[in-house]
Amino acid sequence: MTQDEIIEEDSTKLRPFFSHQFRFLTTERLPYIKGFGLDYSPKEYYWDAQKRQDSFVVFQYTLSGTGYLATKNKIYELNEQTFFLAELPNQFTYYRGAEEWSFVYIEFSKEFFQWLSLPLQIGTFPKEQVEKMVQQLHELRSEEPNLYENSRCAYDLFLTMKEVLHTELSPVEKIKDYLEVHYKKNLSLDDLATIFALSKYQIIRAFEKEYQQTPINYLNNYRMIQSLRYLKEEMTVKEIAEAVGFADYNYFSRVFKKVMGQTPSSYRKEILRK
């Protein structure tokens, strides 16, 4: 079911905390902010970015709950303080998880395509910085801006984003990124200690402080998320286990059940094939 069909079926299912659109008779091809809002997702929330009819850049930042963004090769978990910045239309889908997903979104005009480093970027963003950006947008809205005032604010906000995104990652963020890129490999704490020139104790302590779990637990949870897309395909559990970095498919099944609450086969039957 598409988002439009969901809204038509029950208009009470999508109740935005706040939303605003900026409209101009002419844009003179200037970059500008199209709109912004604070929203939350109904249970059926689902967008296919490839089917978006308008062209623009979206910044979406998770305030609470969990959403997911799925590309052809990977599923990303969008939890608190995680964002995605993307040009639309694009080849990915995004949807909510088991719990309510609340988020901030900002829509920039397509003129900003040229300043995107990649068509899709995903990462974390300081909450206080997002709050400042939203406050700036509220002030802009209250002033009933003309196109030039809007464009000036758009440049400022986009440069702020670029500056934050280019800030060097901390060592623990580099470890997390490494796990996400190399999750198919058979990684151990000894491997991470060698790669990042840190002791196993330092890695565990820093990772638990930042993400409230050990690196190996994070890696296994991440592998479970990636396995969901393979369950949609005609693959055996053994093949799926190997595809996400488990040499022992029985161990994969045990970890899957611990994380997801049921076996891979049950999940495939009861959730994905309803």
Side-chain angles (χ1 to χ4, degrees):
M1 182 178 288
T2 68
Q3 184 73 1
D4 290 340
E5 289 170 339
I6 292 165
I7 295 170
E8 288 175 4
E9 182 181 281
D10 185 351
S11 61
T12 65
K13 288 182 179 177
L14 188 62
R15 297 186 293 268
F17 297 141
F18 174 83
S19 66
H20 182 77
Q21 293 292 312
F22 297 99
R23 304 187 186 281
F24 305 101
L25 294 177
T26 178
T27 62
E28 302 179 24
R29 297 186 179 179
L30 288 174
Y32 68 100
I33 298 165
K34 294 171 64 68
F36 73 105
L38 281 71
D39 209 342
Y40 79 89
S41 59
K43 184 177 180 180
E44 302 89 345
Y45 183 91
Y46 177 92
W47 281 109
D48 185 339
Q50 196 166 10
K51 295 181 179 179
R52 299 302 292 265
Q53 296 182 358
D54 196 9
S55 295
F56 60 96
V57 174
V58 62
F59 171 82
Q60 187 158 312
Y61 175 88
T62 299
L63 296 170
S64 64
T66 304
Y68 295 96
L69 187 150
T71 65
K72 182 179 179 180
N73 300 313
K74 193 172 182 179
I75 297 176
Y76 298 87
E77 187 171 351
L78 305 173
N79 44 34
E80 187 174 346
Q81 296 191 43
T82 304
F83 77 93
F84 69 86
L85 178 67
E87 64 178 57
L88 299 179
N90 207 324
Q91 294 184 340
F92 65 85
T93 59
Y94 52 108
Y95 48 92
R96 65 167 277 173
E99 58 182 355
E100 185 176 287
W101 181 29
S102 64
F103 48 84
V104 172
Y105 67 88
I106 306 173
E107 298 172 347
F108 296 91
S109 66
K110 62 184 179 181
E111 285 78 14
F112 281 101
F113 283 0
Q114 61 186 308
W115 290 300
L116 287 176
S117 301
L118 296 167
L120 172 64
Q121 290 177 263
I122 298 172
T124 58
F125 209 89
K127 188 173 183 179
E128 61 275 11
Q129 190 66 59
V130 173
E131 290 172 348
K132 290 179 182 178
M133 291 164 62
V134 172
Q135 180 61 37
Q136 191 173 345
L137 286 165
H138 276 297
E139 292 173 358
L140 180 71
R141 177 183 64 89
S142 65
E143 295 170 359
E144 299 183 359
N146 60 38
L147 173 62
Y148 307 107
E149 292 166 335
N150 179 300
S151 184
R152 189 177 296 113
C153 182
Y155 273 115
D156 185 39
L157 291 181
F158 208 82
L159 285 173
T160 297
M161 289 182 187
K162 295 282 285 185
E163 183 177 13
V164 171
L165 295 179
H166 281 82
T167 301
E168 185 176 358
L169 294 176
S170 68
V172 71
E173 287 174 322
K174 291 179 181 178
I175 293 171
K176 181 179 83 71
D177 284 357
Y178 185 88
L179 293 174
E180 292 179 0
V181 171
H182 301 283
Y183 71 93
K184 295 182 179 182
K185 293 184 177 180
N186 182 20
L187 294 172
S188 67
L189 280 174
D190 288 325
D191 295 326
L192 296 177
T194 300
I195 293 166
F196 292 96
L198 296 168
S199 70
K200 291 187 288 186
Y201 174 75
Q202 287 174 316
I203 291 174
I204 293 173
R205 183 176 63 177
F207 208 92
E208 287 184 330
K209 181 179 180 181
E210 185 69 23
Y211 301 110
Q212 292 75 56
Q213 58 186 311
T214 67
I216 300 305
N217 280 342
Y218 182 88
L219 175 61
N220 284 338
N221 288 334
Y222 188 81
R223 285 168 168 167
M224 294 306 103
I225 298 302
Q226 301 312 310
S227 72
L228 299 183
R229 63 188 174 92
Y230 292 114
L231 286 167
K232 298 178 182 179
E233 302 176 8
E234 296 298 324
M235 297 175 65
T236 66
V237 172
K238 183 176 181 180
E239 289 171 336
I240 294 171
E242 292 174 351
V244 296
F246 285 87
D248 184 345
Y249 75 92
N250 288 318
Y251 179 54
F252 163 75
S253 296
R254 291 198 299 271
V255 175
F256 190 98
K257 186 175 182 179
K258 181 179 179 181
V259 174
M260 305 303 297
Q262 55 188 314
T263 66
S265 298
S266 296
Y267 187 93
R268 169 183 271 165
K269 181 178 179 180
E270 297 178 16
I271 304 296
L272 299 178
R273 292 186 174 175
K274 282 186 176 181

